[in-house]
Amino acid sequence: MNYNKLFSQVVSRSKASAIRELLKIISRPEIISFAGGLPDPALFPTKDVADIMGQVVSQSPKEALQYGTTEGQDVLKKELIKLLKDTENIDVKPEQLLVVSASQQALDMTARVFVNPGDSIITACPTYLGALQAFQVAGADITGAESDGFGVLPEDLEAKLEGLRKQGKQCKFVYLVPDFQNPTGTTIPEKRRLKILEIVKKYETFILEDSPYRQVRFEGKAARTFFELDETHNHVITLFTFSKVFVPGFRLGYIIGPEDVIRKYVILKQAMDLCTSPILQLATAEYLHRGLLLEHVKQIIASYREKRDLMLKTLAQYMPKGVSWTHPEGGLFLWLTLPKHLNATELLPKAIENKVAYVAGVDFYPAANVFNDMRLNFSYSSKEQIVEGLKRLAKTIQDNL
């Protein structure tokens, strides 16, 4: 049977994740990997989760083990609305919030809700690889707006929007990760956020604000979210997830946005998976109700800050001249830039020979046209592995300068 002639156009536009494929290659225990975006499993609240799961099944078995509503369990939505008010000063109604199977599903759904093949969208350049995959599968024509150490440049964003307008094209949305961006670790200052919001309104589109790391801040004061800054709540849709601040295995997140737009998401989700796991929603609701999340986030921040500081110190100690890197104020990643004549993709097999791994930066660019960057993760490795791994990486770079 030749299935090739039966596959859909969606399959033909899909390609394997560079990170997921790499993780399969570097799973050997002797390799120190900075490639993944994995939280530290030593910090998982195992005992609390075990206790809560037992309580949920014993006290609410019918609700926990039955199908749930597509919109999300009421008890969880109530806790999420309270969390948004307490931590972000955001007021939303239940009809403005949809529970999803983590933010990757939200990205896929957004592409399906807004993008027809050939439609234009804009992302920062570079940007999150998983978002690029979701948008490419939908057939989006992706334009990258240039970035600096403080995120996407408003001037270049406006130039790209104006260029699309002159071509008679409508930009469907602008995708941004404003806080501790994946992959660069950069954060957009509030003054720049206001300028970006003004530009987006001018060109009659909206910001898709992806916020998976926002609570993991090590230093400085948080800028307000785009959602809060947009007083009308008509030009921002924001995605949150529990993967980086609770447990990624629950695959739980939520979307907030205009009520009529959220309704479109709900209808689409009905066709996708009916509902997000009720038992995991109830467990997360109880975790929030007990007031455990914010205390757990404090532990995450303390651990990851220590690891970030160690990575920055070790980079400064061992990296050869001509190599630079970002200084993230939070999150899980930093971005390392090699001299322009070096290709991080070509260097990767040599790094693996030296038993260290990273993610080459090229796949984070919409046009895949920049080759001398790499993403390093500091959350997963132990402190000993961070030092030894960076020594190996520095030697690999030095040997190939």
Side-chain angles (χ1 to χ4, degrees):
M1 179 65 187
N2 179 13
Y3 283 93
N4 289 326
K5 62 183 180 182
L6 304 178
F7 289 137
S8 69
Q9 291 182 6
V10 168
V11 170
S12 69
R13 290 193 294 263
S14 304
K15 63 178 183 178
S17 165
I19 299 171
R20 291 283 163 181
E21 293 299 307
L22 179 61
L23 291 177
K24 291 191 291 187
I25 297 171
I26 61 174
S27 58
R28 302 196 307 272
E30 70 271 16
I31 294 179
I32 296 174
S33 174
F34 302 124
L38 304 176
D40 185 349
L43 297 175
F44 290 161
T46 310
K47 291 182 179 179
D48 288 330
V49 170
D51 176 55
I52 288 171
M53 290 294 281
Q55 175 182 316
V56 166
V57 173
S58 62
Q59 294 185 6
S60 308
K62 293 180 180 179
E63 189 177 5
L65 304 177
Q66 184 59 276
Y67 289 113
T69 59
T70 304
E71 291 84 351
Q73 302 298 111
D74 288 340
V75 64
L76 176 59
K77 294 182 74 170
K78 181 180 177 181
E79 291 293 339
L80 294 177
I81 289 169
K82 182 178 183 299
L83 180 69
L84 286 170
K85 181 61 178 177
D86 291 346
T87 61
E88 301 292 355
N89 193 34
I90 289 174
D91 291 297
V92 292
K93 299 182 296 183
E95 295 79 15
Q96 293 176 277
L97 187 153
L98 170 65
V99 179
V100 293
S101 300
S103 55
Q104 190 63 37
Q105 184 183 53
L107 290 168
D108 178 51
M109 292 173 69
T110 302
R112 295 178 189 234
V113 168
F114 290 100
V115 176
N116 294 311
D119 281 351
S120 297
I121 66 168
I122 294 177
T123 74
C125 188
T127 195
Y128 172 48
L129 171 59
L132 290 178
Q133 285 182 290
F135 304 152
Q136 287 162 350
V137 165
D141 182 12
I142 306 172
T143 299
E146 296 301 318
S147 303
D148 63 8
F150 299 98
V152 70
L153 292 163
E155 299 79 9
D156 195 60
L157 173 61
E158 184 162 17
K160 294 298 194 304
L161 284 164
E162 181 63 25
L164 291 174
R165 175 181 281 183
K166 287 180 177 178
Q167 297 174 52
K169 297 179 179 179
Q170 169 67 48
C171 175
K172 289 298 187 75
F173 58 81
V174 176
Y175 171 74
L176 298 172
V177 186
D179 300 287
F180 325 127
Q181 191 222 31
N182 181 354
T184 62
T186 57
T187 296
I188 302 175
E190 187 163 311
K191 186 176 179 181
R192 185 176 291 195
R193 295 185 192 211
L194 289 167
K195 181 64 176 174
I196 290 168
L197 190 57
E198 179 184 320
I199 292 167
V200 163
K201 291 180 178 180
K202 175 182 174 181
Y203 287 88
E204 299 179 321
T205 185
F206 73 90
I207 295 168
L208 180 62
E209 179 180 30
D210 195 359
S211 191
Y213 317 104
R214 179 171 170 81
Q215 291 170 296
V216 189
R217 171 172 284 278
F218 310 144
E219 61 187 61
K221 182 181 178 181
R224 286 178 288 174
T225 63
F226 276 107
F227 194 93
E228 184 184 356
L229 291 171
D230 178 26
E231 295 178 356
T232 64
H233 298 331
N234 285 326
H235 291 85
V236 181
I237 295 173
T238 301
L239 317 179
F240 293 99
T241 180
F242 286 100
S243 293
K244 302 301 189 289
V245 295
F246 184 28
V247 286
F250 271 33
R251 311 306 302 130
L252 202 63
Y254 54 106
I255 308 170
I256 57 174
E259 185 176 337
D260 56 339
V261 177
I262 293 298
R263 181 60 188 162
K264 298 295 185 184
Y265 278 93
V266 171
I267 294 169
L268 176 62
K269 186 170 169 63
Q270 289 171 351
M272 293 178 72
D273 63 0
L274 301 181
C275 65
T276 298
S277 168
I279 188 172
L280 300 181
Q281 290 189 62
L282 295 179
T284 303
E286 178 62 22
Y287 191 76
L288 291 170
H289 182 68
R290 293 185 185 185
L292 297 174
L293 179 67
L294 298 184
E295 288 302 313
H296 179 59
V297 170
K298 289 179 183 178
Q299 296 176 26
I300 292 173
I301 289 170
S303 175
Y304 292 1
R305 181 196 290 122
E306 203 173 337
K307 291 183 177 183
R308 179 212 58 176
D309 290 347
L310 180 60
M311 181 168 274
L312 291 172
K313 177 183 176 182
T314 308
L315 286 168
Q317 187 172 355
Y318 292 103
M319 280 294 159
K321 290 182 179 180
V323 178
S324 61
W325 49 89
T326 58
H327 183 116
E329 296 178 347
L332 281 73
F333 308 103
L334 62 78
W335 190 242
L336 188 142
T337 301
L338 303 169
K340 287 196 173 181
H341 69 279
L342 281 182
N343 185 315
T345 303
E346 295 176 356
L347 193 67
L348 182 55
K350 299 173 184 178
I352 292 174
E353 286 180 15
N354 287 337
K355 297 183 175 57
V356 63
Y358 56 83
V359 180
V362 64
D363 290 305
F364 296 94
Y365 289 92
N369 59 351
V370 180
F371 302 95
N372 63 316
D373 296 312
M374 64 177 70
R375 190 190 76 177
L376 302 180
N377 166 262
F378 51 78
S379 61
Y380 184 72
S381 301
S382 68
K383 287 184 280 188
E384 293 76 17
Q385 287 173 325
I386 287 173
V387 173
E388 178 58 32
L390 290 179
K391 285 182 182 179
R392 297 175 188 178
L393 181 58
K395 183 179 187 307
T396 305
I397 295 170
Q398 181 67 60
D399 290 347
N400 288 276
L401 279 176

